[in-house]
Amino acid sequence: AGGRRRHPRGTARRLITVVPDPGPTTCIIGAGCSGFTMAKRLEDHVLAYDCFEMSDDIGGNWYFGNPNGMSSCYQSLHIDTSKWRLAFEDYPVPDDWPDFPHHSQLFQYFHDYVDHFGLREKITFNTAVTDCEQLADGRWKVTLSTGESREYDNLVVGNGHHWDARTPTYPGTFDGYQVHSHHYRDPFEPYDFRGRRVLVVGAGNSAMDISSELSQRPIAERLVISMRHGVWVLPKYFDGKPADKASLPPWMPARVGRALARAKIKKSIGKMEDYGLPKPDHRPLDAHPSVSGEFLTRVGCGDIAPKGAIDRLDGDGVVFADGSREPFDAIVWATGYNVTFPFFRQPELTPQDNTFPLFKRIVKPGFENLFFLGLAQPLPTLVNFAEQQSKLVAAAIGGRYRFPDAAEMHRVTADDEKVHLGHFYDSPRHRMQVDFNTYVADLHKEIDRGGERAGVTVVGGR
């Protein structure tokens, strides 16, 4: 790999320098858990990359008080996934963690991981990717917030999908304080909820947590939650153990596993109507479950008053679909997020109402050197989801995996979406849903199939 070569006597001597091939280059957008686990995988396979993070630190959504405004952490937040299900494969969580760690503990775990594997010095902080243009040869021209442009063979998108807050529109106006759950931090700052009449809109995990917190008697005078649909609220524990610790084997048909889980749920928590909640219009697990260890108790104690959908905003109050009207001082919109890629200009790379089908939730056919990480709503966790996806990405970049043709990719994607989405009712929050265990087992098989297409032996991407 470089050096001097002596020429035969009688010929002119010259210095010949052999420059080693640097191999494929990759740009990683973002240094949240998707970005830095991808970086670690490329390090493992000695593949060149640059990682750009617009903030001053790693962590993305789990960086409380992130100065880039992308974090949706609130002060009291504990993750709804147990420590056994969120751990990275090659870096165990601390032994002294509680079953459901606080966001600060998870953030420290991320720091420990990045420092343990020496990734921090490879991340360029305070630098955003502002534009990504595909060149005529298929490579990517990446423009940075510094004004600099660089070219790469591959592009990895790990910018997350819990930062572009989605707020519904209703007729009328509201005169009081309004905040999306993405910007909610605590009951006192920047808005003091004590003694206030509060409406929380939504029925997901954030709505469950925030309404449970604000409904405590020393805080809100009255707490109402508006739910368009009845939902199944699942506890964090079943039989004294974290509910997600008991997972079904991947070989079991999904419909059988769901039937068993539904029976367990109904037996353990009963009917939602018995708590005073609207009756769900679907079976358990036919929607992304809302998980809370406190919400049902708060409803049962009368601290949270459930209401149906909103009809219109009305000055100092809200009129509901049943015709009733209530006055409020504040509204918390826990109404989800839009999937957004502000650095793409191509229409085909712009999701429409959170619909963005991808082959194995990673690649759009025709863009086989563009990889999306963590762009899914997996059960039970998103934390270590991209760590699994990075196995296929690294194999593809390193030439150990070959994608099927576009027609086959479209067919497989349609089949996969039937498996993962077919039992959910249609909603923006369900359009990227996957079952973690089923997905990962299939992903490893696909990596092996892609290895065979590439003429190499790959076992689960390792």
Side-chain angles (χ1 to χ4, degrees):
R4 302 174 183 272
R5 182 179 301 167
R6 189 172 297 279
H7 289 259
R9 187 182 299 276
T11 63
R13 290 184 297 175
R14 56 187 178 131
L15 182 67
I16 300 176
T17 301
V18 180
V19 179
D21 182 358
T25 57
T26 301
C27 173
I28 303 173
I29 303 175
C33 53
S34 295
F36 66 67
T37 53
M38 184 72 249
K40 195 267 182 182
R41 187 76 60 187
L42 295 179
E43 287 277 354
D44 289 345
H45 292 281
V46 198
L47 294 167
Y49 70 91
D50 290 325
C51 180
F52 298 104
E53 169 54 51
M54 69 186 300
S55 190
D56 61 355
D57 206 345
I58 66 161
N61 193 44
W62 290 97
Y63 176 6
F64 179 64
N66 195 329
N68 67 8
M70 301 300 186
S71 173
S72 57
C73 280
Y74 37 93
Q75 195 169 61
S76 62
L77 177 65
H78 287 73
I79 191 167
D80 292 321
T81 307
S82 71
K83 62 183 179 181
W84 291 275
R85 298 307 302 270
L86 61 79
F88 297 125
E89 277 187 342
D90 48 6
Y91 197 75
V93 299
D95 291 335
D96 61 352
W97 263 18
D99 291 340
F100 298 95
H102 185 253
H103 66 75
S104 61
Q105 294 173 297
L106 185 61
F107 186 53
Q108 184 60 51
Y109 176 59
F110 289 171
H111 273 271
D112 294 343
Y113 178 98
V114 166
D115 292 336
H116 177 79
F117 292 111
L119 303 174
R120 190 176 300 275
E121 57 268 26
K122 300 293 291 289
I123 301 169
T124 303
F125 293 103
N126 297 306
T127 305
V129 171
T130 58
D131 188 75
C132 298
E133 175 189 356
Q134 191 167 38
L135 303 173
D137 62 0
R139 300 172 73 242
W140 292 93
K141 178 183 177 182
V142 173
T143 301
L144 307 175
S145 56
T146 60
E148 179 186 2
S149 292
R150 302 186 188 184
E151 295 182 6
Y152 295 93
D153 299 303
N154 303 283
L155 182 61
V156 175
V157 177
N159 71 319
H161 61 277
H162 289 129
W163 58 269
D164 185 5
R166 183 174 65 243
T167 303
T169 58
Y170 290 98
T173 59
F174 179 67
D175 300 335
Y177 176 76
Q178 299 183 66
V179 65
H180 192 278
S181 59
H182 177 69
H183 302 290
Y184 172 83
R185 293 296 174 261
D186 65 55
F188 317 112
E189 295 289 345
Y191 180 82
D192 192 342
F193 286 90
R194 286 175 293 187
R196 305 293 187 176
R197 299 161 300 183
V198 183
L199 173 65
V200 175
V201 182
N205 289 343
S206 295
M208 302 289 112
D209 285 354
I210 294 171
S211 60
S212 295
E213 178 167 81
L214 294 181
S215 67
Q216 298 176 75
R217 291 297 183 177
I219 304 177
E221 175 185 310
R222 176 169 169 78
L223 192 295
V224 174
I225 186 167
S226 171
M227 307 163 70
R228 289 189 303 163
H229 301 277
V231 299
W232 290 90
V233 183
L234 306 187
K236 289 187 174 182
Y237 287 89
F238 278 125
D239 301 327
K241 298 179 181 179
D244 62 12
K245 194 175 181 181
S247 60
L248 297 169
W251 52 261
M252 179 176 288
R255 59 181 180 81
V256 176
R258 284 194 296 272
L260 293 173
R262 286 187 185 112
K264 177 67 174 178
I265 291 168
K266 290 180 177 180
K267 180 179 179 181
S268 298
I269 64 176
K271 299 177 180 180
M272 292 295 98
E273 310 93 277
D274 292 341
Y275 297 89
L277 291 169
K279 181 179 179 180
D281 57 2
H282 56 276
R283 298 174 297 175
L285 306 182
D286 281 356
H288 188 86
S290 298
V291 178
S292 175
E294 188 176 1
F295 178 79
L296 293 179
T297 299
R298 291 284 173 194
V299 173
C301 292
D303 293 340
I304 297 174
K307 295 285 287 188
I310 293 173
D311 179 68
R312 66 183 185 275
L313 307 179
D314 192 39
D316 65 350
V318 168
V319 177
F320 294 93
D322 63 3
S324 63
R325 184 190 187 278
E326 284 216 35
F328 293 105
D329 300 299
I331 298 177
V332 179
W333 300 98
T335 46
Y337 296 86
N338 299 308
V339 178
T340 310
F341 309 116
F343 36 77
F344 286 135
R345 305 289 179 263
Q346 302 92 323
E348 60 269 42
L349 298 179
T350 303
Q352 301 297 320
D353 201 18
N354 289 8
T355 299
F356 197 60
L358 298 169
F359 178 72
K360 301 305 172 187
R361 295 295 329 147
I362 297 174
V363 166
K364 193 170 186 66
F367 294 88
E368 283 78 10
N369 63 345
L370 170 60
F371 307 96
F372 294 90
L373 292 182
L375 194 61
Q377 192 65 37
L379 285 172
T381 182
L382 185 59
V383 171
N384 53 14
F385 185 73
E387 180 193 32
Q388 298 298 318
Q389 294 181 307
S390 70
K391 297 175 182 179
L392 184 147
V393 177
I397 292 173
R400 297 176 296 110
Y401 172 91
R402 180 181 298 167
F403 288 98
D405 61 42
E408 177 66 5
M409 292 171 73
H410 284 298
R411 185 193 67 78
V412 170
T413 300
D415 289 346
D416 285 351
E417 296 214 335
K418 289 178 183 177
V419 169
H420 291 289
L421 307 181
H423 57 290
F424 288 100
Y425 68 79
D426 186 42
S427 168
R429 72 194 295 244
H430 293 149
R431 290 172 188 162
M432 301 187 301
Q433 195 77 33
V434 298
D435 176 82
F436 188 98
N437 288 351
T438 301
Y439 174 88
V440 171
D442 178 68
L443 181 71
H444 291 175
K445 293 177 183 177
E446 174 55 32
I447 293 171
D448 294 340
R449 289 191 291 266
E452 293 176 0
R453 290 191 292 267
V456 298
T457 300
V458 182
V459 180
R462 296 183 181 275

